[in-house]
Amino acid sequence: MSFKEQMKQKADGIEALLKEYIPRESGFQKTIFEAMNYSILAGGKRLRPLILQETYRLFGGEERAVEPFMAAMEMIHTSSLVHDDLPAMDADEYRRGRRTTWVVYGEDMAILAGDALMIFAFETASKAFALSAHPDRVGQAVGILAQKTGIYGMIGGQTVDVELTDKPVSAEQLDFIYRLKTGALLEASMMIGAVLAGASAEEVRAVERIACDVGVAFQIQDDILDMTGTAEVLGKPIGSDAKNNKTTYVSIYGLDAARTQVERLSERAIETMHGLTARNEFLEELFVSLIHRDR
């Protein structure tokens, strides 16, 4: 089976898994359920739950306890996208080729949907306790999820990103934003997969470094695509960084340097992976493919 066929098969499996964990659209508050489900079932790469699953397999994990964390990771990622699209943030009206949540359900309901997805993610992750013979690992994984999502992770990065909009941004500040805003959830995905599978502390630290490099490379590639891509391919408007006056790796260093840095970080991530005792060739190919993606 080709890499592309494997990607589709695995993404389809994750899509089916998500449908098992999303809320039923009934009751007086069903509008919030509809807005949550509209957001999370809007498609996408499902990159974070896929990386979590493949890291779990890399270290020999076999329990179903990984599944609630895969769903939770996608809920948290989706929550951040719902809030990013709001008029107070990036004011984007399209994502993944269709109207954003705030356009369809209103700004007020989109705020609530983003909040709800974040909270529901932890409710979902907690279901892993009943599916594991290692509750200590599940507890550690929940802690990682909270830390990498919160003020020392994704939200911390978003805070600095928002505060520095329309202001000069240094290379050091930009690196901080990228490591936290994008890298933190990828780090959480790999670390949780490793912890749930019983990896050593040293191995968990190694996958954290791998994910950090991949996350920063992924964000730089986003910067490149925002300048060079098309709305038809990306499924969202291009040029939003320039429109919102945001400093990016491309605006500081230029396109050529940005492309070089994406490749350098990705190669370093693969080199670190080769230092692990186990191998997952699909996961390695996935990381390499991020360099050449066009959406």
Side-chain angles (χ1 to χ4, degrees), residues 68-69 71-73 75-76 79 115-129 138-139 141-150 154-155 185 192:
F69 279 99
M73 189 61 65
M75 290 173 190
I76 289 173
S79 167
D115 292 346
L117 282 165
M118 182 75 72
I119 299 298
F120 193 60
F122 285 92
E123 180 181 338
T124 299
S126 69
K127 294 178 180 178
F129 282 106
V138 175
V142 171
I144 292 169
L145 187 64
Q147 184 185 42
K148 294 296 186 180
T149 299
M154 179 187 73
I155 292 175
L185 285 194
I192 288 170

Side-chain angles (χ1 to χ4, degrees), residues 17-18 21 40 49 66-76 124:
L17 176 68
L18 289 172
Y21 283 97
I40 203 163
V66 70
E67 295 177 358
F69 279 99
M70 292 168 61
M73 189 61 65
E74 191 67 12
M75 290 173 190
I76 289 173
T124 299

Side-chain angles (χ1 to χ4, degrees), residues 31-107:
T31 302
I32 194 65
F33 300 150
E34 291 172 357
M36 292 166 68
N37 294 348
Y38 175 85
S39 305
I40 203 163
L41 297 179
K45 304 175 187 70
R46 308 305 187 197
L47 185 63
R48 289 150 191 84
L50 177 57
I51 288 173
L52 197 160
Q53 181 182 52
E54 293 303 316
T55 306
Y56 185 65
R57 290 175 175 169
L58 171 68
F59 291 104
E62 297 179 346
E63 292 183 334
R64 289 193 60 209
V66 70
E67 295 177 358
F69 279 99
M70 292 168 61
M73 189 61 65
E74 191 67 12
M75 290 173 190
I76 289 173
H77 173 58
T78 302
S79 167
S80 73
L81 300 182
V82 171
H83 283 168
D84 270 353
D85 291 334
L86 289 167
M89 303 285 273
D90 291 344
D92 282 331
E93 297 185 5
Y94 285 90
R95 181 177 290 277
R96 295 169 177 169
R98 66 177 187 171
R99 294 283 190 175
T100 48
T101 306
W102 74 268
V103 174
V104 176
Y105 290 94
E107 189 175 355

